């Protein structure tokens, strides 16, 4: 049973640090385990191909882990997701989460909707007190100095990979973009300071938006940047932070929230898997992100990941302010095909998707449209955002520049021809890779959400060892597919679920 120290160590697979496993995961299915007779080698391969299990056994001596695998039920092993997810405990062990309006793991209630009706009159007007020596603060992120304080906390203490090799490094421009979206509220930028030193030691933030969950439009807070200084971990500060931002949301009349985590909490509404496409394979290899597959050579890996120098979609160009309406129209129709999707306003499209060079030092979002050269109609849209990771203590490299696939859409989705959609996305996404490479990114990351299972493997994205779980607070709905099957592999029969991208 993982304790909260374990939580600290493992609450990390939002980091883009999952080793890119080379070769399609299905190639590992040539391993044919035979129960107790499984050879140590087969057990080892099985362990390699089952990312969830590998995480579970992280830290265990390799020999012991292999031995444990040999004793396990094969059917279960082949089903990546049948292994309890990282950090999963039984409901009773979630001392905090079992008190919250979230579905239990064994939730049988079928009706969707809010779990608890909140009476705003009964919401406390004051925060719960913090332990002596610490106090609440509301960050004013319009002030460069306070934005920098948050940046500093996250740069040193936010999400790391399991081996503490990489840590997310959200730029200040990124935080500004992510936390001051249309309708943003200062009160939802919550911090904790050490009273004496005034140092910022914890954060939890939210921005308001609307999402559709199976055609129900709900006003939610998007929660992000929950972070506690390393020295203050395992002291049950997380529940206090979550309760405080919940209170502040309730006071503003927002009773639902959406959030993601690499760890299992009660209860994911959906789970996706990370995939990684090397753009600069050699650098990824040098920093320990990509392994050199057995029997391959560096030169072969570089060739394998080589991309053309020019894009091939006719009419592809950077998105401009004049495209906002067309992009909103296309994206809304495209996103409505998913069970859970954002209901973006025009203002939000403008904010989230359009790069504003005049206000940003570090570009955050790269957006492109495809304009039909004859009709001038916008037929496709694709974007990615920039999220660097610090390479912790490396003699040669100090950061990995990762592009994350963001929103996209194509008219081809409405032809109801899956093959045509796949063809179109293969071209569009290959162009996105080329553009990201030109913009000096080292790796292109994507989850199994949207229609991504149609192109991930063919475009040489490697399976990561991280899952990203999606959660709704105070809202119940039936599970939503995350683009992966019970072997934890991308599956186009599991698409149509997650349409939101969380930063
Ligand atoms: C995640 C983090 C805030 C947890 O802090 P901690 O000191 O390990 O945990 P605490 O003692 O404060 O609280 C433990 C409780 O928080 C819950 N918790 C842990 N990680 C959580 C998460 N990411 N989201 C929500 N709840 C979480 C635990 O399940 C536990 O509740 P339970 O008793 O119901 O099981 C801290 O490890 C951290 O800052 N990590 C780096 C950044 C990070 O991973 N942020 C989360 C991104 S999703």
């Amino acid at each position: 049973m993982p304790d909260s120290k374990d939580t600290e160590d493992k609450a990390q697979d939002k980091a883009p640090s999952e080793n890119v496993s080379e070769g399609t995961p299905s190639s590992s299915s040539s391993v044919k385990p035979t129960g107790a007779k499984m050879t140590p080698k087969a057990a080892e391969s099985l362990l390699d191909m089952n990312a969830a299990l590998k995480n579970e056994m992280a830290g265990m001596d390799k020999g012991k882990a292999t031995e444990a695998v040999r004793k396990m039920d094969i059917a279960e092993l082949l089903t990546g997701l049948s292994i309890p997810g990282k950090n999963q405990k039984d409901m009773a062990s979630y001392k905090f989460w079992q008190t919250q309006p979230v579905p239990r793991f064994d939730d049988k209630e079928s009706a969707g909707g809010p779990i608890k009706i909140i009476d705003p009159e009964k919401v406390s007007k004051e925060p719960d007190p913090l332990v002596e020596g610490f106090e609440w603060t509301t960050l004013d992120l319009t002030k460069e100095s306070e934005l920098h304080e948050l940046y500093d906390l996250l740069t040193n203490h936010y999400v790391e990979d399991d081996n503490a090799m990489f840590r997310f490094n959200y730029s200040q421009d990124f935080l500004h973009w992510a936390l001051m979206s249309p309708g943003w509220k200062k009160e939802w930028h919550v911090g904790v300071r050490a009273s004496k030193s005034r140092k910022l030691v914890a954060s939890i933030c939210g921005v308001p938006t609307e999402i559709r969950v199976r055609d129900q439009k709900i006003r939610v807070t998007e929660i992000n940047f929950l972070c506690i200084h390393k020295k203050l971990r395992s002291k049950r500060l997380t529940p206090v932070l979550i309760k405080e931002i919940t209170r502040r949301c309730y006071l503003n009349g927002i009773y639902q929230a959406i959030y993601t985590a690499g760890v299992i909490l009660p209860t994911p509404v959906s789970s996706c898997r990370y995939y990684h496409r090397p753009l600069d394979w050699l650098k990824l290899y040098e920093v320990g992100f990509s392994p050199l597959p057995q029997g391959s050579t560096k030169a072969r890996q570089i060739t394998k990941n080589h991309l053309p120098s020019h894009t091939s979609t006719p009419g592809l160009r950077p998105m401009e302010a004049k495209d906002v309406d067309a992009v909103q129209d296309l994206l809304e129709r495209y996103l409505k095909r998913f069970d859970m999707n954002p209901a973006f306003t025009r203002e939000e499209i403008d904010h989230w998707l359009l790069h504003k060079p005049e206000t940003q030092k570090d570009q955050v979002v790269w957006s492109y449209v495809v304009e039909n050269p004859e009709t001038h109609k916008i037929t496709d849209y694709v974007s990615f955002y920039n999220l660097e990771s610090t390479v912790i203590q490396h003699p040669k490299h100090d950061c990995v520049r990762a592009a994350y696939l963001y929103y996209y859409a194509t008219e081809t989705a409405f032809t109801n021809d899956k093959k045509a959609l796949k063809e179109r996305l293969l071209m569009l996404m290959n162009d996105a890779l080329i553009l990201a490479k030109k913009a000096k990114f080292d790796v292109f990351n994507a989850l199994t959400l949207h229609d991504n299972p149609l192109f991930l493997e063919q475009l040489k994205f490697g399976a990561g060892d991280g899952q990203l779980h999606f959660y709704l607070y105070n809202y119940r709905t039936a599970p939503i597919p995350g683009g992966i099957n019970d072997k934890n592999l991308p599956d186009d029969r599991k698409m149509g679920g997650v349409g939101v991208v969380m930063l």
Side-chain angles (χ1 to χ4, degrees), residues 7 11 89 94-97 226 228 233-234 236-238:
T7 302
K89 311 177 274 190
Y94 287 94
K95 291 286 174 255
F96 166 65
W97 279 108
L226 162 64
I228 296 176
R233 300 274 171 92
S234 304
R236 312 294 304 173
L237 182 53
T238 304

Side-chain angles (χ1 to χ4, degrees), residues 170-186:
Y170 287 86
S171 68
Q172 284 191 204
D173 281 320
F174 193 114
L175 296 174
H176 193 286
W177 175 70
L179 293 173
M180 285 188 267
S181 54
W184 68 275
K185 292 179 203 316
K186 185 175 155 187

Side-chain angles (χ1 to χ4, degrees), residues 4-5 7-9 11-12 14 89 93-98 157-160 225-229 232-239 241-242 259-265:
S4 32
K5 167 70 173 67
T7 302
E8 172 198 319
D9 289 338
Q12 297 157 349
K14 260 179 78 179
K89 311 177 274 190
S93 324
Y94 287 94
K95 291 286 174 255
F96 166 65
W97 279 108
Q98 64 175 311
H157 302 278
Y158 201 45
V159 182
E160 292 176 9
F225 306 114
L226 162 64
C227 182
I228 296 176
H229 190 291
L232 292 175
R233 300 274 171 92
S234 304
K235 297 185 190 306
R236 312 294 304 173
L237 182 53
T238 304
L241 287 166
I242 293 172
Y259 49 105
T260 53
V263 288
I264 296 262
L265 304 165

